[in-house]
Amino acid sequence: MKALKYMIMGALMIGFSAPAVSQEDHKAVIEQVSNIIKAKGPDMQKQVNEIFKENKKNADVLTAIGRAYLDIKDSVNAQKYADLALKRDNHYGAAYILCGDIQAAKDNGGEAATWYNQATLMDPKNPEGYRRYAQAYSKVSPSAAAAKLEELRKQVPGYPVDIIMAEIYQNANKIDKALEYYKKVEPTKMTEGQIVNYALDYFLQGEFENSLKIAGIGVQTFPKSPALNRISFFDLTNLKRYDEALSYADKLFNQSENAKITESDYLYYGYAYLGKNDYDNAIAMFNKSIELNNDNEQDKSDALKNIASAYESKGDMVNATAAYDKYLKSLKQLTAYDLGNLAGMYQKHAETLTGTEKEEALKKADSIWGEIAEKFPSVADVATYNRAHIAYSLDPDTKIGLAKPHYEKLAELINAKSEKTASDNNRLVECYRYLGYYYLLKNDKSTSDGYWRKVLEIDPENATAKQALGAK
C-alpha cells in the first residue's frame, strides 16, 4: 500500500472539507477553537479544555478540535479528539475521515483507506468518505475508485458523481475515460479547474475543435482565466485560424489574471505569426521562447527550426542556413532528412547568387550530401544523385567532368539493387546519358557507344541515344 500513501496525501492537498450540515449549530464554536489551536498561544490548552467541557457531547466540535490539531501536525491530540468524537457518535462520518487523514499523515496508506471506507459504511449519506476513498485510489486502482463512487450515486442520487469520476481518471492519466465522464456533465456547472482539464484533455487528444468549444464555454464564465485563454489560443493556432489565435494571445498576455507566461506561449505566438506570414514578429517570438527556455530541448529545437523557416520564407538564406545549422546542433540524433534539408537550403541559396558566392554555397551543399551518403548508406543513392546535380551546376559544359564520379557511383548503387523501380531506371538513363556525352567529348567512341547502348536497353525509344549512335 506504499503507493496508496501518495494518493491519499494528494487528496488531502486538494483540500476536501468536512461536511458542514451537522456543524451549522456549532459553527462559531468550531471557528473559535480552530483559531485558538492554530495561534498556539501560551494558554491554548486551557482554552481548548474549556471549550471541550462545554461541547464534550458534540461529535462535530470534537472532530473539529482534532482537525485543528492535525493542521498543526499534532497527530496525538488529533487522534484523541477523533476517538472522543466516535465514542460520542460512532456513525459520524467526519470523525472516521479525520482518523483516515491522521493515518495518511503518518504514511500509513492502507490504514487510511480502511478508515475512509469505514466512513462510507457508518455514514453512507456523507459524500466525503466516498470522495476520500476514491481520490486515494485514483491512480492505484481507478476502477476501484469508480466503483466506490457508484455506491455514492445510489446513496445520494443528486450528487455530482460523474465530475468526480472524470477527475479520478484525469489524475490516473486515463484521458479517454476522463472524457467519457466529462461529457456527462454540463460544462456550465463545472469549476474553472474542471473545465480547464476537460478542454485540455481534448487538446492532448488532438481534437482541437472540441477543445476550443469547451474552452469557449469556459471563457464566458471565466474571461480572465489564463488557462482557458491559453488553450483557446493554442487550439486556434493548430486549427490555422491565425487572426483569432492572435486575439486570444492578446487575452492571455494582456487581459488574464495572474498569467504566468511560459516559453511555450511565445512558441505558439511564433506559430501564429508564421501562419500569418508575419516573419519578423514570428522570429522575435521564437527567439523570446528560446530566451525563456530552461530545460525543454524539444521546444528549443522547434523554435530554431521555425526561425530558419521564417528566414527562408523571407528570402534571407544567410540567416536561414545559420539558424538551421543551430537547429541541427540542438538535436541529440541527426537524420538524413534533417541534413538533407540543410543541403537543400544551400542549393536554394545558390540560385540567388553568382560567381564565387554561388560556387561556395554549392560546395557546402555537396559536402553535406557527401556526409549523408557516408552516414546513411540506405539513402546513399539519393545523396549521390544530388551530388551529381551540384557537380553539373559547377561544370555545366562538362569541360572538367565534375559530375562523372558521382554518376558512376550512382549507377553502381542502383545496379546493386535486387529490384529497380521506375525512378531507379530513370536515374540510370540520366547516368548513362551523362557518361555517354562525357566520353563523346573525350573522343572515346567505343566507351561512349557502350553507354548509349545501355540507355537503349532501358529506354529503347530514347531519341538522344539513337541520334548519338547514328552519328558515329
Short mmCIF file of all heavy atoms in Angstrom, two decimals, residues 70-104:
data_model
loop_
_atom_site.label_atom_id
_atom_site.label_comp_id
_atom_site.label_asym_id
_atom_site.label_seq_id
_atom_site.Cartn_x
_atom_site.Cartn_y
_atom_site.Cartn_z
N LEU A 70 -4.55 18.36 13.91
CA LEU A 70 -3.88 17.74 12.77
C LEU A 70 -3.27 18.80 11.86
O LEU A 70 -2.19 18.62 11.29
CB LEU A 70 -4.87 16.87 11.98
CG LEU A 70 -4.26 16.10 10.80
CD1 LEU A 70 -3.14 15.17 11.25
CD2 LEU A 70 -5.35 15.32 10.06
N ASP A 71 -3.96 19.94 11.75
CA ASP A 71 -3.45 21.03 10.91
C ASP A 71 -2.11 21.57 11.41
O ASP A 71 -1.32 22.09 10.63
CB ASP A 71 -4.48 22.17 10.85
CG ASP A 71 -5.68 21.82 9.99
OD1 ASP A 71 -5.58 20.86 9.20
OD2 ASP A 71 -6.72 22.50 10.12
N ILE A 72 -1.88 21.44 12.74
CA ILE A 72 -0.57 21.89 13.27
C ILE A 72 0.36 20.68 13.49
O ILE A 72 1.34 20.75 14.22
CB ILE A 72 -0.72 22.71 14.57
CG1 ILE A 72 -1.33 21.86 15.68
CG2 ILE A 72 -1.54 23.97 14.32
CD1 ILE A 72 -1.27 22.54 17.06
N LYS A 73 -0.01 19.54 12.85
CA LYS A 73 0.81 18.33 12.86
C LYS A 73 0.94 17.69 14.25
O LYS A 73 1.94 17.05 14.55
CB LYS A 73 2.20 18.63 12.27
CG LYS A 73 2.16 19.05 10.82
CD LYS A 73 3.55 19.33 10.29
CE LYS A 73 3.58 19.55 8.78
NZ LYS A 73 2.50 20.30 8.21
N ASP A 74 -0.08 17.88 15.07
CA ASP A 74 -0.13 17.21 16.37
C ASP A 74 -1.09 16.04 16.24
O ASP A 74 -2.28 16.13 16.56
CB ASP A 74 -0.62 18.20 17.44
CG ASP A 74 -0.62 17.60 18.85
OD1 ASP A 74 -0.51 16.37 18.97
OD2 ASP A 74 -0.76 18.37 19.82
N SER A 75 -0.55 14.91 15.77
CA SER A 75 -1.41 13.76 15.50
C SER A 75 -1.88 13.07 16.77
O SER A 75 -2.93 12.40 16.76
CB SER A 75 -0.67 12.75 14.61
OG SER A 75 0.51 12.29 15.24
N VAL A 76 -1.14 13.22 17.85
CA VAL A 76 -1.55 12.59 19.12
C VAL A 76 -2.87 13.18 19.60
O VAL A 76 -3.84 12.47 19.91
CB VAL A 76 -0.45 12.75 20.19
CG1 VAL A 76 -0.95 12.23 21.55
CG2 VAL A 76 0.81 12.01 19.78
N ASN A 77 -2.92 14.52 19.72
CA ASN A 77 -4.16 15.16 20.14
C ASN A 77 -5.25 15.04 19.09
O ASN A 77 -6.45 14.97 19.43
CB ASN A 77 -3.90 16.64 20.46
CG ASN A 77 -3.43 16.84 21.89
OD1 ASN A 77 -4.05 16.34 22.83
ND2 ASN A 77 -2.33 17.55 22.06
N ALA A 78 -4.87 15.01 17.84
CA ALA A 78 -5.85 14.84 16.77
C ALA A 78 -6.57 13.51 16.95
O ALA A 78 -7.81 13.43 16.87
CB ALA A 78 -5.18 14.90 15.41
N GLN A 79 -5.80 12.44 17.21
CA GLN A 79 -6.40 11.12 17.39
C GLN A 79 -7.24 11.07 18.67
O GLN A 79 -8.30 10.44 18.71
CB GLN A 79 -5.30 10.06 17.46
CG GLN A 79 -5.84 8.63 17.45
CD GLN A 79 -6.52 8.31 16.13
OE1 GLN A 79 -5.91 8.35 15.07
NE2 GLN A 79 -7.83 8.00 16.19
N LYS A 80 -6.77 11.76 19.71
CA LYS A 80 -7.51 11.79 20.99
C LYS A 80 -8.93 12.31 20.78
O LYS A 80 -9.91 11.69 21.24
CB LYS A 80 -6.76 12.68 21.99
CG LYS A 80 -7.53 12.98 23.26
CD LYS A 80 -6.78 13.99 24.12
CE LYS A 80 -7.62 14.45 25.31
NZ LYS A 80 -6.89 15.45 26.14
N TYR A 81 -9.04 13.41 20.05
CA TYR A 81 -10.38 14.00 19.87
C TYR A 81 -11.20 13.26 18.82
O TYR A 81 -12.44 13.24 18.88
CB TYR A 81 -10.25 15.49 19.54
CG TYR A 81 -9.91 16.30 20.77
CD1 TYR A 81 -8.59 16.64 21.07
CD2 TYR A 81 -10.90 16.68 21.67
CE1 TYR A 81 -8.27 17.34 22.23
CE2 TYR A 81 -10.59 17.39 22.83
CZ TYR A 81 -9.27 17.71 23.10
OH TYR A 81 -8.97 18.40 24.26
N ALA A 82 -10.51 12.62 17.85
CA ALA A 82 -11.25 11.78 16.90
C ALA A 82 -11.89 10.61 17.64
O ALA A 82 -13.06 10.26 17.39
CB ALA A 82 -10.30 11.28 15.81
N ASP A 83 -11.12 10.00 18.57
CA ASP A 83 -11.65 8.89 19.35
C ASP A 83 -12.83 9.34 20.22
O ASP A 83 -13.84 8.62 20.36
CB ASP A 83 -10.56 8.29 20.23
CG ASP A 83 -9.48 7.57 19.42
OD1 ASP A 83 -9.76 7.22 18.26
OD2 ASP A 83 -8.37 7.39 19.95
N LEU A 84 -12.70 10.53 20.82
CA LEU A 84 -13.79 11.05 21.64
C LEU A 84 -15.05 11.29 20.80
O LEU A 84 -16.18 11.03 21.26
CB LEU A 84 -13.36 12.35 22.31
CG LEU A 84 -12.33 12.21 23.46
CD1 LEU A 84 -11.79 13.58 23.86
CD2 LEU A 84 -12.99 11.52 24.66
N ALA A 85 -14.85 11.78 19.58
CA ALA A 85 -16.00 12.04 18.69
C ALA A 85 -16.69 10.73 18.34
O ALA A 85 -17.93 10.64 18.34
CB ALA A 85 -15.52 12.76 17.44
N LEU A 86 -15.92 9.68 18.04
CA LEU A 86 -16.51 8.39 17.68
C LEU A 86 -17.18 7.73 18.88
O LEU A 86 -18.18 7.02 18.74
CB LEU A 86 -15.43 7.47 17.10
CG LEU A 86 -14.96 7.83 15.69
CD1 LEU A 86 -13.80 6.94 15.27
CD2 LEU A 86 -16.10 7.72 14.68
N LYS A 87 -16.63 7.97 20.07
CA LYS A 87 -17.26 7.44 21.29
C LYS A 87 -18.62 8.09 21.50
O LYS A 87 -19.57 7.44 21.95
CB LYS A 87 -16.34 7.70 22.48
CG LYS A 87 -16.84 7.07 23.78
CD LYS A 87 -15.85 7.30 24.91
CE LYS A 87 -16.34 6.67 26.20
NZ LYS A 87 -15.38 6.89 27.33
N ARG A 88 -18.69 9.37 21.14
CA ARG A 88 -19.95 10.09 21.28
C ARG A 88 -20.94 9.68 20.19
O ARG A 88 -22.14 9.53 20.46
CB ARG A 88 -19.69 11.61 21.19
CG ARG A 88 -20.95 12.44 21.26
CD ARG A 88 -21.52 12.40 22.68
NE ARG A 88 -22.82 13.09 22.73
CZ ARG A 88 -23.98 12.48 22.71
NH1 ARG A 88 -24.03 11.15 22.64
NH2 ARG A 88 -25.11 13.16 22.78
N ASP A 89 -20.45 9.46 18.95
CA ASP A 89 -21.34 9.11 17.84
C ASP A 89 -20.56 8.25 16.86
O ASP A 89 -19.77 8.75 16.05
CB ASP A 89 -21.86 10.38 17.14
CG ASP A 89 -22.82 10.07 16.01
OD1 ASP A 89 -23.04 8.87 15.71
OD2 ASP A 89 -23.33 11.03 15.40
N ASN A 90 -20.75 6.93 16.95
CA ASN A 90 -19.96 6.03 16.10
C ASN A 90 -20.49 5.94 14.67
O ASN A 90 -20.06 5.10 13.89
CB ASN A 90 -19.87 4.63 16.72
CG ASN A 90 -21.22 3.94 16.78
OD1 ASN A 90 -22.24 4.49 16.39
ND2 ASN A 90 -21.23 2.73 17.31
N HIS A 91 -21.43 6.81 14.33
CA HIS A 91 -21.90 6.91 12.95
C HIS A 91 -21.54 8.27 12.34
O HIS A 91 -22.06 8.64 11.28
CB HIS A 91 -23.41 6.70 12.86
CG HIS A 91 -23.81 5.27 13.02
ND1 HIS A 91 -23.86 4.64 14.25
CD2 HIS A 91 -24.16 4.33 12.10
CE1 HIS A 91 -24.24 3.38 14.08
NE2 HIS A 91 -24.42 3.16 12.78
N TYR A 92 -20.66 9.00 12.98
CA TYR A 92 -20.30 10.33 12.49
C TYR A 92 -19.15 10.21 11.49
O TYR A 92 -17.98 10.01 11.86
CB TYR A 92 -19.92 11.24 13.66
CG TYR A 92 -19.74 12.69 13.26
CD1 TYR A 92 -20.73 13.37 12.55
CD2 TYR A 92 -18.58 13.37 13.57
CE1 TYR A 92 -20.56 14.69 12.17
CE2 TYR A 92 -18.40 14.70 13.20
CZ TYR A 92 -19.39 15.36 12.50
OH TYR A 92 -19.23 16.67 12.12
N GLY A 93 -19.48 10.34 10.22
CA GLY A 93 -18.51 10.10 9.14
C GLY A 93 -17.28 10.97 9.19
O GLY A 93 -16.17 10.53 8.89
N ALA A 94 -17.46 12.25 9.58
CA ALA A 94 -16.32 13.18 9.59
C ALA A 94 -15.23 12.72 10.54
O ALA A 94 -14.03 12.96 10.31
CB ALA A 94 -16.79 14.58 9.95
N ALA A 95 -15.61 12.04 11.62
CA ALA A 95 -14.62 11.55 12.58
C ALA A 95 -13.80 10.41 11.98
O ALA A 95 -12.59 10.31 12.19
CB ALA A 95 -15.30 11.11 13.87
N TYR A 96 -14.48 9.53 11.23
CA TYR A 96 -13.75 8.45 10.54
C TYR A 96 -12.78 9.04 9.51
O TYR A 96 -11.65 8.55 9.36
CB TYR A 96 -14.73 7.50 9.86
CG TYR A 96 -15.52 6.63 10.81
CD1 TYR A 96 -16.82 6.95 11.16
CD2 TYR A 96 -14.94 5.50 11.36
CE1 TYR A 96 -17.54 6.16 12.03
CE2 TYR A 96 -15.65 4.68 12.24
CZ TYR A 96 -16.96 5.02 12.58
OH TYR A 96 -17.66 4.22 13.45
N ILE A 97 -13.25 10.06 8.82
CA ILE A 97 -12.39 10.71 7.80
C ILE A 97 -11.17 11.33 8.48
O ILE A 97 -10.05 11.23 7.97
CB ILE A 97 -13.18 11.76 7.02
CG1 ILE A 97 -14.25 11.07 6.16
CG2 ILE A 97 -12.26 12.60 6.14
CD1 ILE A 97 -15.27 12.01 5.56
N LEU A 98 -11.37 11.94 9.65
CA LEU A 98 -10.25 12.51 10.39
C LEU A 98 -9.25 11.41 10.76
O LEU A 98 -8.04 11.60 10.63
CB LEU A 98 -10.75 13.22 11.65
CG LEU A 98 -9.67 13.75 12.60
CD1 LEU A 98 -8.74 14.72 11.89
CD2 LEU A 98 -10.31 14.40 13.83
N CYS A 99 -9.76 10.27 11.21
CA CYS A 99 -8.87 9.15 11.54
C CYS A 99 -8.06 8.71 10.31
O CYS A 99 -6.87 8.41 10.41
CB CYS A 99 -9.68 7.96 12.07
SG CYS A 99 -10.40 8.23 13.72
N GLY A 100 -8.72 8.69 9.17
CA GLY A 100 -8.02 8.34 7.94
C GLY A 100 -6.94 9.35 7.60
O GLY A 100 -5.82 9.00 7.21
N ASP A 101 -7.26 10.63 7.75
CA ASP A 101 -6.28 11.68 7.45
C ASP A 101 -5.09 11.63 8.40
O ASP A 101 -3.95 11.92 8.01
CB ASP A 101 -6.95 13.05 7.53
CG ASP A 101 -7.96 13.28 6.41
OD1 ASP A 101 -7.99 12.46 5.47
OD2 ASP A 101 -8.72 14.27 6.48
N ILE A 102 -5.35 11.25 9.64
CA ILE A 102 -4.26 11.11 10.63
C ILE A 102 -3.31 10.01 10.18
O ILE A 102 -2.09 10.16 10.22
CB ILE A 102 -4.82 10.81 12.03
CG1 ILE A 102 -5.58 12.04 12.57
CG2 ILE A 102 -3.70 10.41 12.99
CD1 ILE A 102 -6.41 11.74 13.81
N GLN A 103 -3.86 8.88 9.74
CA GLN A 103 -3.03 7.78 9.28
C GLN A 103 -2.27 8.15 7.99
O GLN A 103 -1.11 7.78 7.81
CB GLN A 103 -3.88 6.53 9.03
CG GLN A 103 -4.48 5.94 10.30
CD GLN A 103 -3.43 5.61 11.34
OE1 GLN A 103 -2.38 5.04 11.03
NE2 GLN A 103 -3.70 5.99 12.60
N ALA A 104 -2.93 8.92 7.16
CA ALA A 104 -2.25 9.37 5.94
C ALA A 104 -1.06 10.26 6.27
O ALA A 104 0.00 10.17 5.65
CB ALA A 104 -3.23 10.13 5.05
#
